[in-house]
Amino acid sequence: MAHLFIFGLGYTATRIAQAAKERGFTISATGSAGDIAFEDADAVAQEIGRADHVLSSVPPADDSDPVLDRYGDLLDGKWLAYLSSTGVYGDADGAWVDEQSPTGEGRRTARAECDARWLDCGARVFRLPGIYGPGRSIFERLEEGRAHRIDMPDQVFSRVHVEDIVSGVIAAIAGDAPSGAYNLSDDLPTSQNAVVEEACRLTGREPPPLQTMEEADLSPMARGFYAENRRVANGKAKRVLGWEPAYPTYREGLAAILAAKA
């Protein structure tokens, strides 16, 4: 029975673990929902030793990769995967980016450096845009009064439903995908305003007022979100992995989330 060891069993990786388990894998993991302490070097080494596949969803810490820093010398010969971010592409002024686009020029330089280190290790690096799904969507922000419409008419983002990340990673495992970077994103980059407005339409709410960045009084993290403008192409993942998003646009994704809440 194949074994998958996961560094960082969080929101997305938990769903990957469940999908792998349904396909006959045994699972062990570090993280808030895992069964191994990251600091327990002996236990981690034992689990890596019996793993066929190793996946990391651990973000940079102190501008470096904690998994590679501590356990990188144990990963030789393993099938490796890393959940990265499309933030590595930086600001493209609304243009399309793909896996051949330059990285490391944006605000996430540490992420870009970790991304490159995993590629050097022969990993499949999945670059993810804004992740949404059950319990983590615009619906929760609307309910909590934290949703905004910002007056930036040319601003666009890509996003991906968490289950489409799962299916992409599972497709890579099942097909023994070659190492390299893969963008897992939906087919319709669009403004955050359009997502807010669709969620309001689905729930019969009045959309929040259109505001400037200053009027919205956004957090530094949220301001960073609006500081970059790009469209993320997913053609390589479709071509090489045989992957198709079940939620090709935010409309299908939001409708499915709402239906599940009913």
Side-chain angles (χ1 to χ4, degrees), residues 44-225:
V44 171
Q46 181 177 345
E47 292 304 312
I48 291 175
R50 73 188 190 97
D52 307 280
H53 299 72
V54 176
L55 179 144
S56 174
S57 69
V58 177
D62 299 323
D63 292 334
S64 191
D65 190 286
V67 172
L68 293 180
D69 289 347
R70 186 155 187 173
Y71 298 113
D73 59 345
L74 303 178
L75 300 178
D76 288 349
K78 303 298 180 181
W79 192 100
L80 302 176
Y82 176 62
L83 302 187
S84 184
S85 165
T86 56
V88 301
Y89 297 118
D91 180 29
D93 198 25
W96 287 93
V97 295
D98 64 17
E99 292 83 355
Q100 299 303 311
S101 299
T103 63
E105 299 300 321
R107 59 194 172 93
R108 296 192 176 182
T109 53
R111 175 67 89 173
E113 290 168 3
C114 295
D115 181 297
R117 288 179 66 187
W118 280 97
L119 287 173
D120 287 344
C121 292
R124 293 85 187 148
V125 172
F126 300 98
R127 293 174 178 163
L128 311 176
I131 301 170
Y132 73 103
R136 186 179 291 187
S137 73
I138 190 62
F139 294 119
E140 285 75 29
R141 293 199 292 279
L142 282 168
E143 290 165 4
E144 296 164 6
R146 297 187 295 110
H148 297 280
R149 289 194 305 147
I150 305 299
D151 190 11
M152 298 178 69
D154 297 324
Q155 194 79 9
V156 293
F157 309 99
S158 290
R159 51 195 52 77
V160 63
H161 192 287
V162 66
E163 293 302 334
D164 285 329
I165 301 173
V166 172
S167 66
V169 173
I170 294 298
I173 292 173
D176 192 19
S179 60
Y182 298 90
N183 294 334
L184 297 181
S185 60
D186 70 7
D187 293 338
L188 184 64
T190 192
S191 70
Q192 182 68 2
N193 291 352
V195 175
V196 172
E197 290 159 7
E198 176 67 3
C200 289
R201 185 189 71 81
L202 290 170
T203 56
R205 296 172 181 264
E206 190 69 24
L210 201 61
Q211 297 176 300
T212 64
M213 290 275 284
E214 291 70 25
E215 289 170 337
D217 192 25
L218 299 177
S219 68
M221 182 178 293
R223 284 178 175 269
F225 179 75

